[in-house]
Every structure is written in structure tokens, then in C-alpha cells.
Amino acid sequence: MKLFIPVFLAFLTFSLQAQTVTTYAGNPQGQTGTTVNGYSSLRLTNPAGIAFDGQGRLWLSEEGGHVIRLFHTDGKVYIRAGAFGAAGYMNASGVVAKFNSPRGIAIDGSGNIYVADAGNHVIRKIAPFSSLGNQQQVTLLAGDPNNAGHQDGTGSNAHFHTPSGVAVDQQGNIYVADYETHVIRKITPAGSVTTFAGTANQSGSDDGAAASAKFYRPYGLYYSTTDNALYVADSWNKKIRKIAGGQVTTVVGIGSGISTWIYRAVTKDAAGNYYIGDQCHILKYDGSALTVFAGSEWANDCGHVDGADTSARFNVIYDLKMNGNELYVLERNDATNDDYIRKVNLVTTSVQTVSEPAVTLYPNPAHDWLRIAVPGENGPVHYEVWDLLGRKTAEGRFSGAYRLDVSSWTQGLYLMKLTNGRKVHLTKFRVE
């Protein structure tokens, strides 16, 4: 049965946000050494967190390798802290230092790097990067590697239990998702630790005053400078929580009709849209609706496939970070060690339309042919088609109804502009 979709456009500005998923780094058959030549030559070992410094360089915490890596602009990947494959606890410089299953990572405005050293139950601080020839010193910011639990205090007098997510505000305060105690901690630059939100050792989903609210294994954190709020990927509650003004509120819950699993990561773009890392797909919340942004709509439809929007496939997503208008995704498959960093390009096209009649495209989605009808138009119509990356795919002219051959086109979403004199029709269609 053919599907007829009339698209009504009248004096509107139409914006289409499109996304294409590519593999940025990772190779299951690659290398794991201290220096690896080429991002695509690197074998990742249970990566857990990514962060960008002020120069746009990507830093990675590798939980299975117990190291912190730098993706340098020279095209190579360097271990800057930790001894690969050697879990332990040691404050020292460079590869002499030791970590135990590092998870979250964040970088402040001065270039200091903070790591949730989950297996040691502490927060580590790495000195800013200056050059490849200079070793970076690793020190203890807060926590006691010999005492897992919940205790506020300064430096080693404080206790954490499996800290996971880390975020930094504009004043240099560090926030930690303390996974096993179900709370969010705050650390001053001097190392003083307090409980910022949640009830220690009590899981739940209660909103309200920060001191009495409850979380259930909070994992990922994002600090928003636009509204001075901390956002929490409350993993086992499948919620995104907001902490601001001493209050905890739920921003995103489980989406109606969407298969969800565990929310481990959250971030926002410049337009205020939320992106959530779930089981094998990325969710998007625009302030009113929760949708599948990239990957399959089913939480158990996993894999590693590059492509456009929902045709792409992901394994389990552990972290999300924006760098400009690109979204970086950290994915893991702990069963096969197929671990990758993916990149999603966000492309927005805005066109002002001045047409009143409807454009009819059928069938939509199209497989072999797309039939185009522009009722009420006289004379030739000029058409142009763009793919998700803004590349012109087709162009031509027709009068009356028209059949466009799309049998050899790549599957995905396309934007079409039809011009007749001074009138412009803008619509979109999908090829499958």
C-alpha cells in the first residue's frame, strides 16, 4: 500500500537537524601500548570517560587498562598517567603513577584533570598538560584508598565508594557521582568534601530538598554553565535529575513507547537539547518530548554500525561529550571488548518558505521511485535535494507530476527544495 504524505508549509522557517555517526577511534585488533600511532589503530580496554581540554584535545579514562590517555593533535594516542594493565594506587608522575579502574574524567579552566578512581574509591588530580616531554604529576584530591564508604571531610579524611561521574563548575568545584552510596558529593579546590545531594546509603527516586532527595546509583554528571545547574544520569532510576538552588527535580523520565535500560551519561548542546546515553542508543529530549536520536529504538538492538540517525548501531554507551557542534560517544561491549569512540555530526539547515500549496511525496519512505506532486503550480518546478551532511544529491526541473529515481541512493533522510518562480516549497523524505 502506498503512503501519501502531504506536507503543508506556509510562510515558515523550517529547520532540519540531521546526524551522521562515524567511528572516531577504536580497533578490536589494534594496539594497547603507551604510544599508538593513529586513533583507528588503538585497541580500547573498557573505556569509561572522555573530556576535552581548552585546546579541544580529547582525554580518555580507560577502566580496563587503568590509564589516562591523550588523543594528541599529531594523530597519536599517548598514555599520560598510569601503567597499562597494572591496577594499583600510587601518586607519582606519568606512567609511574597507578590507578584502579578509573571512570569519570573532567578538566577545569586551568587544565587540571580530575579522575574518579573508582577501584581505589578516591578522586585523583592530574597536573595540566604542557608538552609531551613533560610528565604530569598525579596526586590525591580526596578519599582514602583503604576505606570505601561515605564520610565527609578534607582530603584523605573523606570516604567514597566507587565514584563514577565527575564534573567541574566555573569556580573550580568538583562534583562526584558516588555510585554505591547513592549520593552526589562536592569537593572544593582545596579538597573539602561535602554531600551535595542525596541520602547516603539509601537508594530511591525522591525529588525535593537536596539533603533529603534520593538517587539510585548515579553514574554520569554534566554541569551546565548556562543555568548553573548540575545534571545527573541517575542510572538505575532511568532518569535525568537536575540539582539547582538546593533542590532536586526530575527533568527526564522513562520515555513512553521507547525501550530504555540504564542512563549512564547526559550532556546538552548549545540550543539546550539534552542527549542521554542509554543501552545501545542515544536519546534526545528537547524540553517536551523524548525521542531516539541515534541508534535503534530498541535497547537490545546493539552493534557497531556507522550511518545516519537510527540506521546506526551502538553498543552500551558510557559517556557523551559535546565538542563544538559534534557529539562524542563512548561505547563498550564488555563481552567482546569491541570498544569505540564514535562521533556524531550535528547539521542544522534553516530555510524560509513562502509557499501556500501542499507538496505530496509518495511513497514515503521511498525504495525505488519517489513521486512528487505540487498542486496548483504552473510552469516548470526546479528541485534540489541534500543529504544529512549538506551535500547536494540531485537537481533538475519538471512540470506537473514527477518520478525521481532513488534506487541507488544511500538509505537515510533527505531535504528537498522545490522552486517555482518566487515560491519555495521545502520538505523532507526518507529512502529505505
Side-chain angles (χ1 to χ4, degrees):
M1 182 178 69
K2 294 179 179 178
L3 178 64
F4 294 77
I5 300 182
V7 183
F8 296 91
L9 300 165
F11 303 98
L12 299 174
T13 297
F14 179 84
S15 294
L16 172 66
Q17 188 174 64
Q19 54 277 348
T20 301
V21 180
T22 57
T23 298
Y24 177 78
N27 181 347
Q29 284 75 48
Q31 307 168 48
T32 59
T34 302
T35 301
V36 176
N37 188 7
Y39 299 173
S40 61
S41 300
L42 174 66
R43 179 180 181 180
L44 299 171
T45 308
N46 306 128
I50 52 178
F52 288 91
D53 63 20
Q55 286 69 48
R57 294 175 295 230
L58 187 150
W59 293 77
L60 170 77
S61 60
E62 197 171 348
E63 186 173 5
H66 313 292
V67 294
I68 307 302
R69 295 185 184 268
L70 165 65
F71 288 70
H72 200 274
T73 53
D74 64 3
K76 297 180 181 180
V77 185
Y78 299 87
I79 292 178
R80 295 298 301 171
F84 183 80
Y89 178 80
M90 182 179 293
N91 291 314
S93 62
V95 296
V96 179
K98 288 187 178 180
F99 295 83
N100 186 357
S101 304
R103 289 186 176 179
I105 182 171
I107 304 175
D108 67 16
S110 300
N112 295 297
I113 303 168
Y114 301 96
V115 179
D117 195 0
N120 283 321
H121 312 292
V122 298
I123 307 302
R124 312 288 285 280
K125 179 179 179 180
I126 306 175
F129 174 80
S130 58
S131 69
L132 291 172
N134 289 332
Q135 297 296 310
Q136 294 169 258
Q137 187 70 27
V138 179
T139 56
L140 172 71
L141 178 66
D144 183 345
N146 298 311
N147 286 287
H150 177 272
Q151 180 173 296
D152 290 340
T154 300
S156 59
N157 290 321
H159 297 166
F160 297 85
H161 197 327
T162 321
S164 295
V166 183
V168 183
D169 68 17
Q170 291 173 302
Q171 288 72 47
N173 298 301
I174 301 97
Y175 300 89
V176 179
D178 206 5
Y179 185 75
E180 291 293 355
T181 62
H182 313 294
V183 294
I184 309 301
R185 314 289 286 279
K186 179 179 179 179
I187 312 174
T188 67
S192 177
V193 180
T194 55
T195 301
F196 186 64
T199 305
N201 299 311
Q202 294 185 31
S203 62
S205 60
D206 298 349
D207 287 339
S212 57
K214 291 185 175 64
F215 299 85
Y216 194 1
R217 289 184 168 167
Y219 195 93
L221 297 180
Y222 167 74
Y223 189 86
S224 172
T225 57
T226 58
D227 57 359
N228 294 318
L230 183 69
Y231 292 87
V232 182
D234 194 3
S235 66
W236 281 38
N237 278 324
K238 302 183 186 180
K239 291 182 177 181
I240 302 302
R241 318 283 290 280
K242 176 181 179 179
I243 309 173
Q247 296 290 315
V248 177
T249 55
T250 296
V251 177
V252 182
I254 301 172
S256 176
I258 298 178
S259 173
T260 59
W261 195 253
I262 293 177
Y263 294 173
R264 288 186 176 88
V266 60
T267 191
K268 292 174 73 176
D269 64 17
N273 298 300
Y274 299 83
Y275 300 92
I276 303 163
D278 192 16
Q279 177 96 350
C280 306
H281 56 205
I282 302 170
L283 305 176
K284 178 181 177 182
Y285 181 68
D286 63 3
S288 60
L290 184 65
T291 57
V292 176
F293 175 71
S296 172
E297 63 179 289
W298 300 105
N300 59 353
D301 188 8
C302 307
H304 178 82
V305 180
D306 289 338
D309 52 81
T310 55
S311 66
R313 291 293 179 268
F314 296 88
N315 289 307
V316 180
I317 296 172
Y318 273 76
D319 203 4
L320 298 171
K321 289 292 190 304
M322 292 293 304
N323 186 32
N325 61 358
E326 294 177 327
L327 178 66
Y328 286 76
V329 184
L330 192 60
E331 64 164 314
R332 280 167 50 171
N333 184 333
D334 288 350
T336 62
N337 286 329
D338 289 346
D339 303 330
Y340 302 90
I341 300 173
R342 314 283 287 281
K343 183 170 69 172
V344 187
N345 292 316
L346 308 183
V347 180
T348 302
T349 304
S350 297
V351 181
Q352 187 175 14
T353 66
V354 295
S355 62
E356 295 181 1
V359 176
T360 302
L361 304 178
Y362 62 96
N364 191 355
H367 299 279
D368 299 315
W369 295 90
L370 178 71
R371 302 177 189 274
I372 310 168
V374 187
E377 292 290 7
N378 297 316
V381 176
H382 179 245
Y383 71 91
E384 297 169 273
V385 181
W386 291 269
D387 66 12
L388 295 178
L389 294 178
R391 299 174 298 198
K392 185 175 289 187
T393 305
E395 184 175 10
R397 296 170 69 86
F398 66 89
S399 296
Y402 183 71
R403 294 172 74 232
L404 179 63
D405 184 0
V406 297
S407 59
S408 62
W409 290 24
T410 302
Q411 293 183 0
L413 194 65
Y414 291 82
L415 178 68
M416 175 180 287
K417 177 182 176 183
L418 302 108
T419 307
N420 174 249
R422 297 181 62 186
K423 292 184 178 180
V424 177
H425 307 269
L426 185 69
T427 186
K428 59 184 177 179
F429 64 95
R430 181 179 292 277
V431 174
E432 291 186 348

